[in-house]
Amino acid sequence: MLEAHHQVIFYPEDPAELEKATQTRESAEHLCTLPSALLCPHAAYDLSMEALHASFSLASGLPCKLVVVLVPLHQEVLLCDEPAFVFSPTQEGMVVGGMHIRFATGMRMHLQTLHAPHLALQDSYFEEESAFELTLPFIHSYLPDTPVLGLAVGSCTKEQTAKLAHLLRTITEKEPDTLFVVSSNANALLPSDVAADHANTLADLLRQGSDLWEAGQHHLISCCNLPSLEAIRRQPWAIRRWQLNSWYCKGQEHPAPSVLGEGKEKDVWHLSASLGERHASETNL
């Protein structure tokens, strides 16, 4: 089993506290189509928990057979691992706060056969990055017993982004009932005015279904998992475009990104969003 490394700092270590923090909540709407996708932030729970619930509550009860978690690498890929730029863990699962999460080993083997050497199995990237680990308890809570495929994505060229889009398409060709979870903050840590500009620009691009890779190249956006978002945008099922739910900064909800306080601090905006058809929850009909 893959060992947990980020408890206490990013999420509660005590199983009872973790279960309470990730206990399911009701949502006015639910996703009703597959494949579909969620956009979630990655940060300590005191900053990201509300946004994580806002996203995952949309998928509660969704009959998916696979959850694919796309997380960014905040470090450079080691030379010894190149030409791989996408990584998946080698283990059969992970225990987080007493929660046992089963990995999708069959799909992992299928992808490795089709996409080596661009996809490699390597645990170290998942041990050093917190995004995958802190997302798993929410999957366990809202989508119990669903196997999870973790994919850590490094910085991508335009050609590599196209390869990533092809890799994701082969997943849904084999298993259409897949939910993708993209872990990404809406912007890098930037001065308040620039952070708000980048977050609002990302929001516009997601709503419009516009090219994210070009915007990143022109430094108009700074989200940390841009290749994954762009690869999702290129999927044949991603025609409905992203629906944005809520915005958070420093754990507080806001109607939209803006300059906060006197604008002297640096900000990171957290966004909850989904991609796929929704319907009203039965309790709201």
Side-chain angles (χ1 to χ4, degrees), residues 110-136:
H110 175 69
L111 294 180
Q112 189 183 25
T113 300
L114 293 178
H115 297 284
H118 305 297
L119 169 69
L121 305 187
Q122 177 58 263
D123 290 335
S124 62
Y125 294 107
F126 290 87
E127 293 168 350
E128 295 176 22
E129 294 286 344
S130 61
F132 180 64
E133 189 175 318
L134 67 86
T135 305
L136 292 179

mmCIF file of all heavy atoms in Angstrom, residues 110-136:
data_model
loop_
_atom_site.group_PDB
_atom_site.id
_atom_site.type_symbol
_atom_site.label_atom_id
_atom_site.label_comp_id
_atom_site.label_asym_id
_atom_site.label_seq_id
_atom_site.Cartn_x
_atom_site.Cartn_y
_atom_site.Cartn_z
ATOM 1 N N HIS A 110 -3.433 -1.310 -18.386
ATOM 2 C CA HIS A 110 -3.894 -1.052 -19.748
ATOM 3 C C HIS A 110 -3.217 0.198 -20.312
ATOM 4 O O HIS A 110 -2.716 0.195 -21.450
ATOM 5 C CB HIS A 110 -5.415 -0.882 -19.731
ATOM 6 C CG HIS A 110 -6.020 -0.493 -21.040
ATOM 7 N ND1 HIS A 110 -6.060 -1.338 -22.131
ATOM 8 C CD2 HIS A 110 -6.613 0.667 -21.440
ATOM 9 C CE1 HIS A 110 -6.658 -0.724 -23.138
ATOM 10 N NE2 HIS A 110 -6.997 0.494 -22.749
ATOM 11 N N LEU A 111 -3.160 1.257 -19.521
ATOM 12 C CA LEU A 111 -2.552 2.502 -19.985
ATOM 13 C C LEU A 111 -1.045 2.365 -20.154
ATOM 14 O O LEU A 111 -0.467 2.921 -21.103
ATOM 15 C CB LEU A 111 -2.853 3.627 -18.993
ATOM 16 C CG LEU A 111 -4.311 4.053 -18.854
ATOM 17 C CD1 LEU A 111 -4.426 5.167 -17.830
ATOM 18 C CD2 LEU A 111 -4.884 4.496 -20.189
ATOM 19 N N GLN A 112 -0.410 1.644 -19.254
ATOM 20 C CA GLN A 112 1.035 1.470 -19.368
ATOM 21 C C GLN A 112 1.394 0.730 -20.653
ATOM 22 O O GLN A 112 2.388 1.050 -21.322
ATOM 23 C CB GLN A 112 1.579 0.734 -18.153
ATOM 24 C CG GLN A 112 3.106 0.708 -18.112
ATOM 25 C CD GLN A 112 3.624 -0.078 -16.935
ATOM 26 O OE1 GLN A 112 2.944 -0.960 -16.406
ATOM 27 N NE2 GLN A 112 4.838 0.232 -16.494
ATOM 28 N N THR A 113 0.565 -0.227 -21.021
ATOM 29 C CA THR A 113 0.802 -0.963 -22.260
ATOM 30 C C THR A 113 0.684 -0.061 -23.476
ATOM 31 O O THR A 113 1.486 -0.135 -24.413
ATOM 32 C CB THR A 113 -0.196 -2.134 -22.384
ATOM 33 O OG1 THR A 113 -0.032 -3.009 -21.268
ATOM 34 C CG2 THR A 113 0.023 -2.910 -23.671
ATOM 35 N N LEU A 114 -0.302 0.846 -23.442
ATOM 36 C CA LEU A 114 -0.571 1.693 -24.603
ATOM 37 C C LEU A 114 0.311 2.947 -24.664
ATOM 38 O O LEU A 114 0.596 3.437 -25.761
ATOM 39 C CB LEU A 114 -2.038 2.130 -24.596
ATOM 40 C CG LEU A 114 -3.093 1.050 -24.822
ATOM 41 C CD1 LEU A 114 -4.486 1.663 -24.719
ATOM 42 C CD2 LEU A 114 -2.910 0.387 -26.181
ATOM 43 N N HIS A 115 0.723 3.463 -23.495
ATOM 44 C CA HIS A 115 1.301 4.811 -23.479
ATOM 45 C C HIS A 115 2.721 4.895 -22.932
ATOM 46 O O HIS A 115 3.220 6.006 -22.730
ATOM 47 C CB HIS A 115 0.381 5.747 -22.698
ATOM 48 C CG HIS A 115 -0.967 5.908 -23.324
ATOM 49 N ND1 HIS A 115 -1.180 6.689 -24.437
ATOM 50 C CD2 HIS A 115 -2.163 5.350 -23.007
ATOM 51 C CE1 HIS A 115 -2.463 6.633 -24.770
ATOM 52 N NE2 HIS A 115 -3.080 5.827 -23.923
ATOM 53 N N ALA A 116 3.376 3.781 -22.682
ATOM 54 C CA ALA A 116 4.807 3.843 -22.364
ATOM 55 C C ALA A 116 5.544 4.287 -23.630
ATOM 56 O O ALA A 116 5.124 3.942 -24.737
ATOM 57 C CB ALA A 116 5.292 2.475 -21.907
ATOM 58 N N PRO A 117 6.621 5.076 -23.499
ATOM 59 C CA PRO A 117 7.310 5.476 -22.277
ATOM 60 C C PRO A 117 6.834 6.820 -21.706
ATOM 61 O O PRO A 117 7.467 7.353 -20.804
ATOM 62 C CB PRO A 117 8.760 5.589 -22.756
ATOM 63 C CG PRO A 117 8.629 6.117 -24.159
ATOM 64 C CD PRO A 117 7.382 5.466 -24.717
ATOM 65 N N HIS A 118 5.721 7.389 -22.238
ATOM 66 C CA HIS A 118 5.262 8.693 -21.749
ATOM 67 C C HIS A 118 4.567 8.581 -20.406
ATOM 68 O O HIS A 118 4.510 9.548 -19.643
ATOM 69 C CB HIS A 118 4.338 9.335 -22.782
ATOM 70 C CG HIS A 118 4.961 9.438 -24.137
ATOM 71 N ND1 HIS A 118 6.093 10.197 -24.362
ATOM 72 C CD2 HIS A 118 4.636 8.866 -25.331
ATOM 73 C CE1 HIS A 118 6.439 10.101 -25.640
ATOM 74 N NE2 HIS A 118 5.577 9.299 -26.244
ATOM 75 N N LEU A 119 4.031 7.397 -20.099
ATOM 76 C CA LEU A 119 3.456 7.107 -18.789
ATOM 77 C C LEU A 119 4.361 6.104 -18.078
ATOM 78 O O LEU A 119 4.751 5.092 -18.663
ATOM 79 C CB LEU A 119 2.051 6.519 -18.938
ATOM 80 C CG LEU A 119 1.435 5.918 -17.665
ATOM 81 C CD1 LEU A 119 1.115 7.012 -16.647
ATOM 82 C CD2 LEU A 119 0.187 5.108 -18.003
ATOM 83 N N ALA A 120 4.702 6.396 -16.832
ATOM 84 C CA ALA A 120 5.559 5.498 -16.055
ATOM 85 C C ALA A 120 4.970 5.308 -14.664
ATOM 86 O O ALA A 120 4.239 6.165 -14.163
ATOM 87 C CB ALA A 120 6.977 6.065 -15.953
ATOM 88 N N LEU A 121 5.283 4.185 -14.058
ATOM 89 C CA LEU A 121 4.852 3.912 -12.692
ATOM 90 C C LEU A 121 5.974 4.317 -11.738
ATOM 91 O O LEU A 121 7.095 3.830 -11.847
ATOM 92 C CB LEU A 121 4.517 2.432 -12.515
ATOM 93 C CG LEU A 121 3.479 1.843 -13.479
ATOM 94 C CD1 LEU A 121 3.129 0.416 -13.075
ATOM 95 C CD2 LEU A 121 2.233 2.704 -13.545
ATOM 96 N N GLN A 122 5.650 5.234 -10.831
ATOM 97 C CA GLN A 122 6.670 5.765 -9.928
ATOM 98 C C GLN A 122 5.977 6.328 -8.690
ATOM 99 O O GLN A 122 5.179 7.262 -8.777
ATOM 100 C CB GLN A 122 7.473 6.863 -10.634
ATOM 101 C CG GLN A 122 8.519 7.560 -9.791
ATOM 102 C CD GLN A 122 9.533 6.606 -9.224
ATOM 103 O OE1 GLN A 122 9.409 6.184 -8.077
ATOM 104 N NE2 GLN A 122 10.540 6.258 -10.017
ATOM 105 N N ASP A 123 6.272 5.768 -7.521
ATOM 106 C CA ASP A 123 5.620 6.187 -6.287
ATOM 107 C C ASP A 123 6.146 7.515 -5.743
ATOM 108 O O ASP A 123 5.416 8.240 -5.070
ATOM 109 C CB ASP A 123 5.800 5.125 -5.199
ATOM 110 C CG ASP A 123 5.004 3.861 -5.477
ATOM 111 O OD1 ASP A 123 3.996 3.945 -6.196
ATOM 112 O OD2 ASP A 123 5.412 2.791 -4.983
ATOM 113 N N SER A 124 7.396 7.834 -6.001
ATOM 114 C CA SER A 124 8.033 8.965 -5.325
ATOM 115 C C SER A 124 7.311 10.285 -5.580
ATOM 116 O O SER A 124 7.214 11.130 -4.684
ATOM 117 C CB SER A 124 9.496 9.087 -5.763
ATOM 118 O OG SER A 124 9.590 9.338 -7.158
ATOM 119 N N TYR A 125 6.782 10.466 -6.783
ATOM 120 C CA TYR A 125 6.091 11.730 -7.083
ATOM 121 C C TYR A 125 4.825 11.873 -6.247
ATOM 122 O O TYR A 125 4.436 12.990 -5.871
ATOM 123 C CB TYR A 125 5.763 11.813 -8.568
ATOM 124 C CG TYR A 125 7.001 11.888 -9.443
ATOM 125 C CD1 TYR A 125 7.398 10.800 -10.214
ATOM 126 C CD2 TYR A 125 7.781 13.033 -9.484
ATOM 127 C CE1 TYR A 125 8.534 10.854 -11.006
ATOM 128 C CE2 TYR A 125 8.924 13.107 -10.264
ATOM 129 C CZ TYR A 125 9.299 12.009 -11.032
ATOM 130 O OH TYR A 125 10.429 12.074 -11.804
ATOM 131 N N PHE A 126 4.157 10.767 -5.945
ATOM 132 C CA PHE A 126 2.943 10.817 -5.136
ATOM 133 C C PHE A 126 3.266 10.967 -3.654
ATOM 134 O O PHE A 126 2.460 11.489 -2.891
ATOM 135 C CB PHE A 126 2.106 9.553 -5.375
ATOM 136 C CG PHE A 126 1.505 9.517 -6.745
ATOM 137 C CD1 PHE A 126 2.221 9.000 -7.817
ATOM 138 C CD2 PHE A 126 0.244 10.019 -6.977
ATOM 139 C CE1 PHE A 126 1.689 8.984 -9.089
ATOM 140 C CE2 PHE A 126 -0.308 10.006 -8.248
ATOM 141 C CZ PHE A 126 0.406 9.488 -9.301
ATOM 142 N N GLU A 127 4.442 10.524 -3.255
ATOM 143 C CA GLU A 127 4.860 10.697 -1.867
ATOM 144 C C GLU A 127 5.227 12.149 -1.580
ATOM 145 O O GLU A 127 5.058 12.628 -0.454
ATOM 146 C CB GLU A 127 6.042 9.781 -1.570
ATOM 147 C CG GLU A 127 5.685 8.298 -1.610
ATOM 148 C CD GLU A 127 6.906 7.393 -1.591
ATOM 149 O OE1 GLU A 127 8.032 7.933 -1.733
ATOM 150 O OE2 GLU A 127 6.735 6.163 -1.451
ATOM 151 N N GLU A 128 5.690 12.858 -2.598
ATOM 152 C CA GLU A 128 6.131 14.235 -2.400
ATOM 153 C C GLU A 128 5.030 15.254 -2.653
ATOM 154 O O GLU A 128 5.065 16.357 -2.112
ATOM 155 C CB GLU A 128 7.332 14.522 -3.308
ATOM 156 C CG GLU A 128 8.558 13.692 -2.950
ATOM 157 C CD GLU A 128 9.718 13.914 -3.902
ATOM 158 O OE1 GLU A 128 9.741 14.964 -4.565
ATOM 159 O OE2 GLU A 128 10.597 13.040 -3.973
ATOM 160 N N GLU A 129 4.046 14.915 -3.482
ATOM 161 C CA GLU A 129 2.937 15.817 -3.784
ATOM 162 C C GLU A 129 1.751 15.502 -2.874
ATOM 163 O O GLU A 129 1.380 14.346 -2.701
ATOM 164 C CB GLU A 129 2.521 15.672 -5.252
ATOM 165 C CG GLU A 129 3.582 16.124 -6.251
ATOM 166 C CD GLU A 129 3.708 17.639 -6.316
ATOM 167 O OE1 GLU A 129 2.793 18.347 -5.837
ATOM 168 O OE2 GLU A 129 4.726 18.113 -6.844
ATOM 169 N N SER A 130 1.138 16.531 -2.322
ATOM 170 C CA SER A 130 0.033 16.329 -1.377
ATOM 171 C C SER A 130 -1.335 16.237 -2.051
ATOM 172 O O SER A 130 -2.280 15.705 -1.469
ATOM 173 C CB SER A 130 0.005 17.486 -0.378
ATOM 174 O OG SER A 130 -0.216 18.723 -1.065
ATOM 175 N N ALA A 131 -1.486 16.751 -3.266
ATOM 176 C CA ALA A 131 -2.804 16.916 -3.887
ATOM 177 C C ALA A 131 -3.571 15.607 -3.996
ATOM 178 O O ALA A 131 -4.776 15.550 -3.711
ATOM 179 C CB ALA A 131 -2.651 17.552 -5.266
ATOM 180 N N PHE A 132 -2.908 14.532 -4.406
ATOM 181 C CA PHE A 132 -3.565 13.246 -4.567
ATOM 182 C C PHE A 132 -4.057 12.727 -3.212
ATOM 183 O O PHE A 132 -5.223 12.330 -3.066
ATOM 184 C CB PHE A 132 -2.595 12.258 -5.212
ATOM 185 C CG PHE A 132 -3.149 10.880 -5.427
ATOM 186 C CD1 PHE A 132 -4.205 10.656 -6.291
ATOM 187 C CD2 PHE A 132 -2.593 9.788 -4.761
ATOM 188 C CE1 PHE A 132 -4.712 9.376 -6.489
ATOM 189 C CE2 PHE A 132 -3.087 8.508 -4.957
ATOM 190 C CZ PHE A 132 -4.151 8.304 -5.822
ATOM 191 N N GLU A 133 -3.196 12.770 -2.246
ATOM 192 C CA GLU A 133 -3.495 12.201 -0.935
ATOM 193 C C GLU A 133 -4.661 12.910 -0.252
ATOM 194 O O GLU A 133 -5.539 12.263 0.325
ATOM 195 C CB GLU A 133 -2.243 12.280 -0.070
ATOM 196 C CG GLU A 133 -2.317 11.558 1.243
ATOM 197 C CD GLU A 133 -0.978 11.593 1.961
ATOM 198 O OE1 GLU A 133 0.068 11.414 1.296
ATOM 199 O OE2 GLU A 133 -0.980 11.799 3.188
ATOM 200 N N LEU A 134 -4.701 14.239 -0.300
ATOM 201 C CA LEU A 134 -5.758 14.962 0.403
ATOM 202 C C LEU A 134 -7.104 14.863 -0.309
ATOM 203 O O LEU A 134 -8.156 15.132 0.296
ATOM 204 C CB LEU A 134 -5.364 16.428 0.619
ATOM 205 C CG LEU A 134 -5.224 17.368 -0.585
ATOM 206 C CD1 LEU A 134 -6.556 17.987 -0.969
ATOM 207 C CD2 LEU A 134 -4.221 18.475 -0.257
ATOM 208 N N THR A 135 -7.104 14.455 -1.576
ATOM 209 C CA THR A 135 -8.347 14.288 -2.325
ATOM 210 C C THR A 135 -9.000 12.936 -2.042
ATOM 211 O O THR A 135 -10.232 12.809 -2.094
ATOM 212 C CB THR A 135 -8.071 14.420 -3.840
ATOM 213 O OG1 THR A 135 -7.414 15.660 -4.087
ATOM 214 C CG2 THR A 135 -9.361 14.393 -4.645
ATOM 215 N N LEU A 136 -8.214 11.922 -1.726
ATOM 216 C CA LEU A 136 -8.732 10.559 -1.566
ATOM 217 C C LEU A 136 -9.824 10.422 -0.504
ATOM 218 O O LEU A 136 -10.815 9.708 -0.731
ATOM 219 C CB LEU A 136 -7.582 9.598 -1.265
ATOM 220 C CG LEU A 136 -6.589 9.356 -2.415
ATOM 221 C CD1 LEU A 136 -5.492 8.397 -1.965
ATOM 222 C CD2 LEU A 136 -7.297 8.805 -3.641
#
